[in-house]
């Protein structure tokens, strides 16, 4: 008798649990139809993320690491060297609002693609520029944008176009650093993250060099 009562009680509990589980699944936001991604490396990922999240049609940008051989690398490992990874940003965008071609052209004009040793004040392999592609169509578009940039500068563009590999999101404190409110200690003194970011960007000379290279074609100088 006891066993029968136990089973009779369990059934409604399981049914209720199943209903709750289905409701939670339905509540999860579905990925936007037609969303595409573009993964680029342009030196400091804080800056690339900040730049591209300001572009209409861009849904979001995630800072991370890619292109190397070390699984689930840390920031310390990547910047120390030896992992093969770049500091990179994965940009999600709506192709109905902004094209991959436009984003690629903006990318080249937001970096120094003639520098093979890093970007601005950040030196080393992890800070080099690169574009990551997953198919022949993306590769052709990246090559066209690279040729366009080289013709516009009349200089050799060294940014490689690489086969896309696993993208590892960076640590949580790197995401949206440029608008963070947390108090951090820097060589400029204690600052909110967003102010520390601005001080770093100016001191690193990013906008000054990009403006020198690209002039009025630079889309993000002063951001």
């Amino acid at each position: 008798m006891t066993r029968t009562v136990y089973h009779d009680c369990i059934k409604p509990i399981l049914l209720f649990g199943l209903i709750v589980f289905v409701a939670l699944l339905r509540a999860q936001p579905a990925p936007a139809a037609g969303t595409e991604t573009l993964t680029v490396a342009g030196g400091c990922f804080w800056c690339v993320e900040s730049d591209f999240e300001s572009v209409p049609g861009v849904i979001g940008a995630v800072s991370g690491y890619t292109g190397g051989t070390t699984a689930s690398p840390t920031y310390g490992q990547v910047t120390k060297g030896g992992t093969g990874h770049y500091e990179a940003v994965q940009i999600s965008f709506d192709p109905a609002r902004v094209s991959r071609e436009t984003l690629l052209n903006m990318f080249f004009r937001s970096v120094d693609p003639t520098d093979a040793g890093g970007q601005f004040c950040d030196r080393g392999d992890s800070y080099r520029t690169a574009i990551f592609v997953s198919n022949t169509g993306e590769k052709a578009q990246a090559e066209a944008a690279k040729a366009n940039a080289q013709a516009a500068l009349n200089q050799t563009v060294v940014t490689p176009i690489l086969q896309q590999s696993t993208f590892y999101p960076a640590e949580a404190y790197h995401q949206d650093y440029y608008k963070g409110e947390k108090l951090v200690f820097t060589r400029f003194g204690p600052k909110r993250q967003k102010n520390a970011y601005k001080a770093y960007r100016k001191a690193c000379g990013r906008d000054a060099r990009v403006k020198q290279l690209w002039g009025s074609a630079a889309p993000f100088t002063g951001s």
Side-chain angles (χ1 to χ4, degrees):
M1 184 67 178
T2 303
R3 186 171 298 174
T4 303
V5 171
Y6 173 79
H7 281 215
D8 288 344
C9 292
I10 281 293
K11 287 177 182 178
I13 293 171
L14 289 174
L15 180 59
F16 176 76
L18 181 60
I19 291 170
V20 171
F21 178 70
V22 171
L24 287 173
L25 284 179
R26 288 179 177 173
Q28 296 301 313
T35 299
E36 296 183 13
T37 60
L38 169 65
T39 304
V40 295
C44 169
F45 47 24
W46 297 344
C47 298
V48 180
E49 183 184 340
S50 168
D51 287 345
F52 281 91
E53 285 193 339
S54 71
V55 177
V58 167
I59 299 163
V62 178
S63 291
Y65 317 110
T66 195
T69 56
T70 301
S72 302
T74 65
Y75 177 72
Q77 288 175 317
V78 172
T79 54
K80 182 179 180 181
T83 66
H85 285 296
Y86 293 74
E87 275 199 20
V89 173
Q90 192 168 78
I91 303 162
S92 299
F93 65 98
D94 179 355
R97 297 182 61 203
V98 62
S99 68
R100 183 178 298 272
E101 177 185 12
T102 295
L103 293 176
L104 285 167
N105 287 328
M106 293 178 81
F107 167 69
F108 275 112
R109 287 156 182 77
S110 67
V111 296
D112 180 354
T114 68
D115 187 348
Q119 285 291 283
F120 318 108
C121 68
D122 293 317
R123 313 311 300 166
D125 289 351
S126 65
Y127 292 108
R128 293 172 298 163
T129 60
I131 298 170
F132 299 88
V133 299
S134 61
N135 56 54
T136 55
E138 290 182 5
K139 184 177 181 181
Q141 287 180 300
E143 287 175 340
K146 180 175 178 176
N148 178 287
Q150 189 157 288
L153 288 178
N154 196 28
Q155 297 182 53
T156 301
V157 168
V158 299
T159 304
I161 298 167
L162 305 174
Q163 180 62 38
Q164 187 169 300
S165 57
T166 303
F167 179 88
Y168 299 97
E171 295 84 345
Y173 71 89
H174 285 300
Q175 310 301 333
D176 290 328
Y177 191 94
Y178 72 96
K179 56 186 178 184
E181 292 289 347
K182 184 179 178 181
L183 188 66
V184 293
F185 293 91
T186 73
R187 61 190 173 109
F188 310 104
K191 289 182 178 291
R192 299 294 175 187
Q193 284 178 325
K194 62 183 181 181
N195 296 324
Y197 162 74
K198 290 176 182 176
Y200 153 76
R201 182 165 179 148
K202 182 176 181 180
C204 199
R206 186 181 188 100
D207 293 328
R209 175 57 178 156
V210 169
K211 194 168 184 178
Q212 180 187 43
L213 267 178
W214 293 105
S216 61
F220 304 119
T221 53
S223 60

